[in-house]
Amino acid sequence: MPPELTSTRDRPADQDRSADRDRSADRDRSADRDRSLARRWLWTTVALTAGAFVMAAAFAPSGSAAPDRGLAWVLFAGSSAHVASTGWLYTLRDVRSYAANRPWRFIRVPVLLMIAGAAAAATLTPAAMTWLLLPFFAWQFFHFAKQNLGLTALAAKTAGAPPLRTAERRALIASGLAGTCGLMARPALLQLRIDPGLGALFPLSAAAMAGAVAAGLILLARRAPAQRPRGFCVMYLIGLFFSVPVFVFASPYAAVGGMTIAHGMQYLLLVSLVAAGGPGEAGRALRLAVLGNVALIGGAVLAVTSHLHSGGPAVRLVFGAYLGAVLAHFVVDAGLWRLRDPFPRAFLARRVPYLIRTAPAISSAADIR
Amino acid sequence: MSIFAEDPALSRRDKVRRTVLTIALIAAFLGGVLLFALVIAPDIGAAGGCGGG
């Protein structure tokens, strides 16, 4: 029908339908784009994690020899630089406001940990301090397990799979704890020269690891095929097998280095995406540049101070503050990425919306930490 | 107004300052990476830091 013959009542209706179609097409395009970006995050995380383990196993020096320059630099990025990058989050105004509203987790406890670490290192002998490093590393590897749990929960969300069930979460945490117990039983894998007399715990930990992996595999297989998309399965398996090198390799760099690098690279990728996303196109390059410098300079400071464990009390004080700073990173991260809280959800939705929008609403238990 | 503000209506002067700062920081970062990679080989433990001390 020619336009001039269309009734005045029909014309707005046609226009409305056309506008609805346009809006629907826009939504579809936006959803496709979100799914594509989420897939890229997921598979980049998988590639970084797998690459870390392969690199550590391939280039691990034998015995107590130092790693070559390449492995040392990747370890630096995965450990000191990634810890320092948490500091960059405080450059964001909304994070500072959130921290100010929760001063205990985000300000007071981190400061107290640094003070307590400094006081302990300055007053205790280096030998006694080495014993304190055992619980320090236990916390560190529990922190790794929590991140694996969170990334798997996020992978489920982005892949459109149902959230992790309680038993699936327990299997992931159990495998992480088994790896941590294995390390406590063999502190030589952490390059600690102490003997806590827990040698018998190592085979028990290995058995617990095997049990956790078996339980995780059975739980994964019990999901309906539509509920276990490939990306989610790969991320879940990565979390499940993350600590296996502890029981396979005798070299510390092969046993532990891969986990350290993988954890740090997963974190740096997510923080970089946060820096690259969000409001203010013009500020994106500036945010990334600031993040790069904070990670590099802060990482260098942490790396230097990590070696001050055997000087006089004043020097050891700095070493203790370093340990406290790393612990503060664990505490801050455990709060800042907890997706059951409104702020972390809004924080990520603003900066990496494709990781939040691509699937049904988050269950109460889906945390990045 | 801070050049770090997430404000699309920055003045021309602030935009220039932000651009200069961004370039300087990127140069500092790349320079730092190059310096560290070529000159310094970090002594680092398998679990990060000093490897347990």
Side-chain angles (χ1 to χ4, degrees), chain A residues 101 147 157-158 167 198 251-252 256 258 330 358 363:
Chain A
N101 287 329
Q147 178 166 293
K157 184 165 177 49
T158 59
L198 297 173
S251 155
V256 172
F330 303 158
T358 43
S363 87

Side-chain angles (χ1 to χ4, degrees), chain A residues 103-160:
Chain A
W104 275 105
R105 178 181 285 276
F106 294 105
I107 299 167
R108 289 174 194 153
V109 169
V111 170
L112 286 172
L113 282 169
M114 291 175 70
I115 293 170
T123 51
L124 295 173
T125 63
M129 204 53 203
T130 306
W131 282 95
L132 274 186
L133 290 176
L134 214 51
F136 168 85
F137 280 121
W139 193 350
Q140 175 171 315
F141 286 92
F142 180 68
H143 168 78
F144 287 8
K146 290 283 282 177
Q147 178 166 293
N148 287 330
L149 177 64
L151 291 178
T152 309
L154 203 55
K157 184 165 177 49
T158 59

